[in-house]
Coordinates of all heavy atoms in Angstrom, one line a residue:
P353 N 176.3 182.3 238.5 CA 175.7 183.6 238.7 C 174.3 183.8 238.0 O 173.6 184.6 238.5 CB 176.8 184.5 238.1 CG 177.6 183.7 237.2 CD 177.5 182.3 237.8
I425 N 165.7 190.8 266.0 CA 165.4 189.6 265.4 C 163.9 189.6 264.9 O 163.0 189.9 265.7 CB 165.6 188.3 266.2 CG1 167.1 188.2 266.7 CG2 165.2 187.0 265.5 CD1 167.4 187.1 267.6
C486 N 171.1 191.1 250.7 CA 170.2 192.2 250.5 C 170.0 193.0 251.7 O 170.1 194.3 251.7 CB 168.8 191.7 250.0 SG 167.7 193.1 249.5
G502 N 163.1 174.9 256.1 CA 162.3 174.6 254.9 C 161.6 173.2 254.9 O 162.2 172.2 255.4
E516 N 158.1 164.3 257.3 CA 158.5 165.1 258.5 C 159.9 165.7 258.2 O 160.5 166.4 259.1 CB 158.6 164.2 259.7 CG 157.2 163.6 260.1 CD 156.2 164.8 260.4 OE1 156.6 165.7 261.0 OE2 155.0 164.6 259.9
G525 N 177.0 186.7 259.0 CA 178.0 187.6 258.5 C 178.4 188.6 259.5 O 177.7 188.9 260.5
F538 N 171.2 184.5 268.6 CA 170.3 184.5 267.4 C 169.8 183.1 267.2 O 168.6 183.0 266.9 CB 171.1 185.0 266.2 CG 170.4 184.8 264.9 CD1 169.3 185.6 264.5 CD2 170.7 183.7 264.0 CE1 168.6 185.4 263.4 CE2 170.0 183.5 262.9 CZ 168.9 184.4 262.5

Side-chain angles (χ1 to χ4, degrees):
I425 299 177
C486 185
E516 300 301 317
F538 171 75

